[in-house]
Amino acid sequence: MKKWKAVTTLAIFAAITLTACAGEKEKEQSQESGVQSEAAGETAPKEGGKELFTCLISESPAGVPFTDLTWKGFEKIEETYGAQVKLIEALDKAEYAEQIRAMAEMGANPIYTMFDTVSAVAVELAPEYPDTKFCLIDSNLDTVHENVANVYVDSLEPAFISGVVAAKTTESGTIGWIGSLDIPVINRFRDAYVAGAAYAAPEVTVQTAYVGDDSDTVKAGEQAKIMINQGADVIFQTANLAGLGVIQACSEENIKCIGVDEWQGGVDPCVFWSSLTDISGAVFDSFTAYKEGNFTAGRTDYGVKTDSAIFDQRDYDALSDELKTEVDQIVEGIKNGTLELEKQMAVQ
């Protein structure tokens, strides 16, 4: 058992390392692409006489799972359209305005900003660059201006269905949720998960806890073990890098875990379901709309109705026929409007 635990730990450590290395490689490639554009003047194909050049300005650096997941959308833009793509790690708040202005003056269009702090600066500066489109990612800010769009991938649908799957899978009658921080974007996962569980099986108990950090795998593992000792046999983690500690604890205690943002079944077999956030697809679709002259200001929700992935087919295929039918009915209800998840949330 000790040897098996050690192997699991090494596997998870390797997953973190590979993710970080991949993110750095992507960042270096995008930065090199930007340098070539400045030096050669025209390295990207043109659309309507203009170079295709877009960028991501993020408060979260490469190597963080959500940033790397988002960047996959830019890789697809580069591969599909031959556009220049560039990642700007906006780690110093004092430089946000300067970074946004620099990208606008270099001709980046659209300019994508991720998370509220840097996105708030983009909204403020948008009137100065009326010909530049700005796309906010993972932000609840009002767009206000005609050249600002909110590319919004709500955690509501995938987290709600995760709650349904957990409630229908538990044998103990107790399931859990562990988030990184007590903030609105994380609490959205929690509330949707709780609502999904109540919708599927009102008698199921849902335990909730926070790590208090988004990278402390040790503390996350400890929180998970406390929850497991209290009877939880399915735990949904929405704790960023710290969530790997939850997965490890679930693996060691031989209970089921639900992953987040991307498919995490490859991290450990205990992850039988993943609540997908198809931000890479939303980025690609929004850029495609811009390229085709269909940029739409305001908020666009990407989810079931836009055919965005909210769970992985491999996980779905492993469900019982009965649970597959229930998931199908929920998805169809969301599509046709007969199941309003916000109302389900309000019941809680």
Side-chain angles (χ1 to χ4, degrees):
M1 177 63 74
K2 290 183 178 179
K3 181 179 179 181
W4 184 86
K5 290 182 179 180
V7 171
T8 303
T9 302
L10 289 172
I12 293 177
F13 177 78
I16 299 173
T17 304
L18 288 172
T19 300
C21 291
E24 287 300 316
K25 183 177 181 181
E26 291 164 0
K27 179 185 70 173
E28 290 169 6
Q29 289 173 340
S30 64
Q31 290 174 336
E32 288 171 2
S33 176
V35 170
Q36 290 172 356
S37 176
E38 293 175 54
E42 291 184 8
T43 58
K46 294 185 176 182
E47 179 75 16
K50 295 182 180 180
E51 290 183 7
L52 289 176
F53 172 36
T54 186
C55 69
L56 171 63
I57 303 177
S58 173
E59 302 171 37
S60 181
V64 173
F66 191 77
T67 302
D68 290 346
L69 180 61
T70 304
W71 188 248
K72 289 179 181 178
F74 290 85
E75 288 185 315
K76 187 174 180 180
I77 289 170
E78 183 179 39
E79 178 182 352
T80 304
Y81 300 124
Q84 299 283 349
V85 294
K86 188 175 181 67
L87 172 62
I88 306 296
E89 295 180 338
L91 306 182
D92 187 344
K93 293 182 181 179
E95 296 178 359
Y96 287 177
E98 179 183 345
Q99 291 163 332
I100 292 169
R101 284 195 172 98
M103 289 297 99
E105 290 165 9
M106 283 177 62
N109 208 354
I111 292 176
Y112 290 82
T113 57
M114 193 156 72
F115 305 134
D116 282 348
T117 307
V118 67
S119 291
V121 179
V123 172
E124 182 181 341
L125 296 179
E128 296 182 23
Y129 301 95
D131 295 328
T132 300
K133 308 302 184 186
F134 295 86
C135 295
L136 317 182
I137 295 174
D138 206 36
S139 171
N140 287 308
L141 296 174
D142 291 331
T143 54
V144 183
H145 309 297
E146 292 184 357
N147 60 332
V148 181
N150 191 333
V151 180
Y152 194 75
V153 181
D154 197 347
S155 58
L156 174 58
E157 293 172 357
F160 183 91
I161 291 179
S162 293
V164 171
V165 170
K168 290 294 186 176
T169 301
T170 179
E171 296 179 1
S172 68
T174 299
I175 62 176
W177 171 88
I178 297 177
S180 55
L181 301 166
D182 185 3
I183 56 177
V185 67
I186 298 299
N187 290 340
R188 182 74 164 170
F189 284 97
R190 178 200 63 193
D191 295 345
Y193 180 68
V194 171
Y199 176 84
E203 71 280 5
V204 167
T205 299
V206 185
Q207 300 175 340
T208 64
Y210 298 96
V211 180
D213 187 278
D214 62 5
S215 59
D216 191 338
T217 56
V218 174
K219 187 174 180 181
E222 292 171 350
Q223 288 280 17
K225 289 185 177 181
I226 290 172
M227 200 167 278
I228 293 166
N229 288 335
Q230 293 174 345
D233 63 352
V234 180
I235 297 179
F236 178 27
Q237 69 84 12
T238 62
N240 212 323
L241 282 174
L244 294 174
V246 176
I247 294 173
Q248 181 178 7
C250 290
S251 178
E252 291 175 350
E253 298 297 327
N254 197 30
I255 74 157
K256 296 182 182 297
C257 187
I258 296 176
V260 72
D261 290 339
E262 59 184 333
W263 185 70
Q264 293 189 310
V267 177
D268 191 277
C270 75
V271 182
F272 78 110
W273 189 262
S274 291
S275 175
L276 302 188
T277 303
D278 191 18
I279 187 60
S280 59
V283 166
F284 179 79
D285 290 347
S286 63
F287 183 85
T288 299
Y290 160 78
K291 179 180 177 294
E292 295 176 350
N294 297 320
F295 174 85
T296 303
R299 172 168 153 170
T300 299
D301 290 288
Y302 292 85
V304 167
K305 292 182 180 180
T306 59
D307 294 322
S308 298
I310 60 173
F311 53 78
D312 190 274
Q313 188 65 35
R314 289 166 288 189
D315 295 339
Y316 173 85
D317 290 343
L319 297 178
S320 67
D321 289 342
E322 181 181 354
L323 189 46
K324 283 180 185 176
T325 298
E326 187 153 358
V327 169
D328 290 344
Q329 290 173 344
I330 291 171
V331 170
E332 184 58 32
I334 294 171
K335 280 185 177 181
N336 62 31
T338 58
L339 178 59
E340 299 181 42
L341 299 192
E342 291 290 357
K343 288 187 177 179
Q344 294 297 322
M345 294 266 283
V347 173
Q348 304 310 307

